Amino acid sequence: MSFPNPQIKLTVDAVVFGYEAGNISVLLIQRKYDPFKGKWALPGGFVLEEESLEEAVERELREETGVAINYLEQLYTFGGVNRDPRGRVVSVAYFGLIHPDGHTLEASTDAEAAKWFDINDLPQLSFDHSHILDMAIERLKGKITYEPIGFELLDTKFPFSDLEKLYSTLLGRPVDRRNFRKKINSLKILDELDEKISLGAGRPASLFRFNETRYKQLQKEGIIFEI
Amino acid sequence: MSFPNPQIKLTVDAVVFGYEAGNISVLLIQRKYDPFKGKWALPGGFVLEEESLEEAVERELREETGVAINYLEQLYTFGGVNRDPRGRVVSVAYFGLIHPDGHTLEASTDAEAAKWFDINDLPQLSFDHSHILDMAIERLKGKITYEPIGFELLDTKFPFSDLEKLYSTLLGRPVDRRNFRKKINSLKILDELDEKISLGAGRPASLFRFNETRYKQLQKEGIIFEI
DNA sequence: TCAAAAGTGTTCCATTTACACCCATGT
DNA sequence: ACATGGGTGTAAATGGAACACTTTTGA
C-alpha cells in the first residue's frame, strides 16, 4: 500500500489539428529514439512529477514541435496493458486546435522532425496512436456542431466563406450558404469588421471576428450553439 | 528516460449512480485507512500493473462495495499536482450506472462502509472527489438527452411513468407525458410487454423493456436518440 | 465583358409544443 | 363512489430545409 504500482508510467499525447486551404491536418513527429525510432507518432511524452497534465502536454508540444496551441482539452485516457512495448504505460491524450499563423514548426528533443499531415493521407503511426487519432477526429467532427470551436482553426480575422468551407469539410457534406449564414448571424457571435479581403477573382469578402465575450454571455443565458 | 516519473501513482475512481423512488443517488464508501480515515469518498484505488483501467474500476467496486455495474464509461482524468496528500497521484475517474436490483451493498477491504447518498444530500468528500462528482452529475444530466442511458438506471422491466419521472428528475423540469411518450414511441426502442404492474392506487401500468438490438440498429442507420 | 466568388429572402415542410379528458384499478 | 395514477390526439407555432439571382471585383 505504501508503494503501489511503481511500474506504471504516465505519458501525455497530443492530437493537434490545423486547417488550411480546405484541408484538415494533424501534427505528427518523427521519433528520434526507440521504440518506433524513425516512425511517425503523436507528440507527447512522460509526465514530470511536479507538473500538471496540461503543463506536460504544453511542454512536450513546445519541445517537440515548437507550436503555440490555442485550444486544448482532454480527450481520453488510454490504459490498455500492452499498448507500449517498454512496459505498462498509461497515456492521457489531449485534443488541440491551432490557428494557421501558429503553424511554423521546429522539431527538437525527442523529435527528428515535426510535420503536418492531411488527415486523409496519414503515415503509419507508432503505438496505438492511430486509434487515439481516430477518436480525436470523431471528437472534432462531433464537437463543432454544438460548440464554436471551429473558430480556433481559423485566423482571428476570416471571411465567412472560410468558416463555411471548414464546416462543410468537417461535416463531410455541402452546407447551404444562406441557411448557414442565417444561423450564425442569429447568434450574433461574429463581429463584421470594416476590412475586406480580395482573394484573386470574385467579389471581395468582408472579414469577421469571433466575439468570445458575446458567446460566453450566451452560454450563461443558457442559449446553446448548434449547427 | 529509462525510468521516468517513478513517483507518479495511478488510481481509478468510480462515480456510480443509482435511482429509486424519484431520487438519484451515488455510491460512496467510508475510508478505513488514512488519509481521510473515516471520511466518505468515491470507491476506487490503485491500478495494478497487469490490469486495464476498466478492470481496476470493476475490481475496486467489487472489493469495496460488492455492486455489479451495468454501464461504465470513462469520465475524466484528474492530474492536479496536489490533489492527494500522499504525493503525486493521478486518477482516472469513471462514470457508472446500476439497476436498482444491483443495489445490495457489502463493504470490505479498504472500505469501512458503503452507502447510497441522495445527490442532493451529500456528506463532505475526501480528496477532490466532490469536484469529480460534480462533473459526473453534469455528464449524467447532459448525456440522457442524447443517449439512451436512462434505461440503465431502471429495472429491466419498467412502467412508462418510471422513465418519465427519471427524465423529469434529471432534467430538473416537468416533462409533458404525451409528448414524451410520442417521442420515445417514434423511435420504437421500447417493447411493450404483456405484463402489467399495479402499484397501489390507480390504473395498472403496462411494463416496457428497452430494446437494445433495435437501438444499435438505429445507430447504424445514423438515427440519433434525442429528448 | 466574362468569370469567379460574395451576398441576400421567401416559401414550404417537419418538428415541437401546448393542452384536457377518459380509463382502469384499489380503497 | 371516489381518489389515484395510466393512457391517449389535435391544433398552433416554431424552426429547419430548399432554392436562384444580383453584386463586386480581377483578368
Side-chain angles (χ1 to χ4, degrees), chain A residues 86-125:
Chain A
R86 289 168 294 192
R88 183 73 192 278
V89 178
V90 170
S91 182
V92 185
Y94 279 76
F95 166 90
L97 302 176
I98 197 174
H99 287 145
D101 42 35
H103 276 194
T104 349
L105 304 182
E106 283 177 51
S108 56
T109 66
D110 300 353
E112 191 67 60
K115 209 178 138 202
W116 291 100
F117 285 84
D118 188 296
I119 59 166
N120 298 309
D121 187 17
L122 292 165
Q124 230 200 336
L125 296 184

Side-chain angles (χ1 to χ4, degrees), chain B residues 52-70:
Chain B
S52 71
L53 301 174
E54 287 75 15
E55 285 164 352
V57 182
E58 278 163 13
R59 178 182 52 74
E60 290 286 353
L61 276 173
R62 209 180 321 115
E63 288 176 5
E64 295 185 335
T65 71
V67 303
I69 201 101
N70 55 298

Side-chain angles (χ1 to χ4, degrees), chain B residues 43-55:
Chain B
F46 290 100
V47 178
L48 304 179
E49 197 185 357
E50 62 287 340
E51 68 186 355
S52 71
L53 301 174
E54 287 75 15
E55 285 164 352

Side-chain angles (χ1 to χ4, degrees), chain A residues 161 177-178 181-182 202-203 205-206:
Chain A
S161 57
R177 189 148 33 115
R178 281 175 286 189
R181 236 180 143 110
K182 224 183 299 171
R203 176 174 173 176
S206 293

Side-chain angles (χ1 to χ4, degrees), chain A residues 14-21 23-30 40-43 61 64-71 95-107 113-123 125 133 140 152-154:
Chain A
V15 185
V16 176
F17 292 108
Y19 176 73
E20 217 151 13
N23 290 100
I24 306 289
S25 45
V26 65
L27 180 53
L28 299 178
I29 59 131
Q30 191 173 28
W40 294 95
L42 296 172
L61 275 173
E64 296 186 334
T65 72
V67 304
I69 200 100
N70 56 298
Y71 178 89
F95 166 90
L97 302 176
I98 197 174
H99 287 145
D101 42 35
H103 276 194
T104 349
L105 304 182
E106 283 177 51
K115 209 178 138 202
W116 291 100
F117 285 84
D118 188 296
I119 59 166
N120 298 309
D121 187 17
L122 292 165
L125 296 184
L133 181 51
L140 174 61
E152 307 291 347
L153 285 169
L154 301 177

Side-chain angles (χ1 to χ4, degrees), chain A residues 14-206:
Chain A
V15 185
V16 176
F17 292 108
Y19 176 73
E20 217 151 13
N23 290 100
I24 306 289
S25 45
V26 65
L27 180 53
L28 299 178
I29 59 131
Q30 191 173 28
R31 292 178 59 85
K32 198 184 271 180
Y33 305 111
D34 266 323
F36 300 102
K37 182 176 169 181
K39 284 228 169 194
W40 294 95
L42 296 172
F46 290 101
V47 179
L48 304 179
E49 196 184 359
E50 61 288 341
E51 68 185 354
S52 71
L53 301 174
E54 286 76 13
E55 285 163 352
V57 182
E58 278 164 12
R59 178 182 50 74
E60 290 286 353
L61 275 173
R62 210 180 321 116
E63 289 177 3
E64 296 186 334
T65 72
V67 304
I69 200 100
N70 56 298
Y71 178 89
L72 188 69
E73 70 171 43
Q74 197 179 292
L75 176 65
Y76 196 77
T77 298
F78 295 83
V81 185
N82 292 311
R83 51 177 300 283
D84 193 311
R86 289 168 294 192
R88 183 73 192 278
V89 178
V90 170
S91 182
V92 185
Y94 279 76
F95 166 90
L97 302 176
I98 197 174
H99 287 145
D101 42 35
H103 276 194
T104 349
L105 304 182
E106 283 177 51
S108 56
T109 66
D110 300 353
E112 191 67 60
K115 209 178 138 202
W116 291 100
F117 285 84
D118 188 296
I119 59 166
N120 298 309
D121 187 17
L122 292 165
Q124 230 200 336
L125 296 184
S126 314
F127 306 101
D128 55 354
H129 287 187
S130 68
H131 180 203
I132 299 179
L133 181 51
D134 286 347
M135 195 183 268
I137 291 172
E138 214 179 310
R139 178 91 132 232
L140 174 61
K141 291 186 175 178
K143 199 143 185 171
I144 50 153
T145 67
Y146 63 91
E147 274 185 45
I149 57 168
F151 305 105
E152 307 291 347
L153 285 169
L154 301 177
D155 277 314
T156 40
K157 299 169 179 187
F158 55 88
F160 220 106
S161 57
D162 270 16
L163 188 63
E164 187 195 316
K165 249 177 262 158
L166 173 63
Y167 271 83
S168 82
T169 303
L170 285 173
L171 299 175
R173 57 177 163 83
V175 167
D176 183 283
R177 189 148 33 115
R178 281 175 286 189
N179 292 338
F180 183 72
R181 236 180 143 110
K182 224 183 299 171
K183 186 77 141 285
I184 301 282
N185 282 336
S186 72
L187 295 166
K188 292 179 186 139
I189 49 174
L190 290 193
D191 294 338
E192 183 165 3
L193 308 177
D194 287 334
E195 283 173 81
K196 290 197 189 294
I197 195 176
S198 179
L199 255 146
R203 176 174 173 176
S206 293

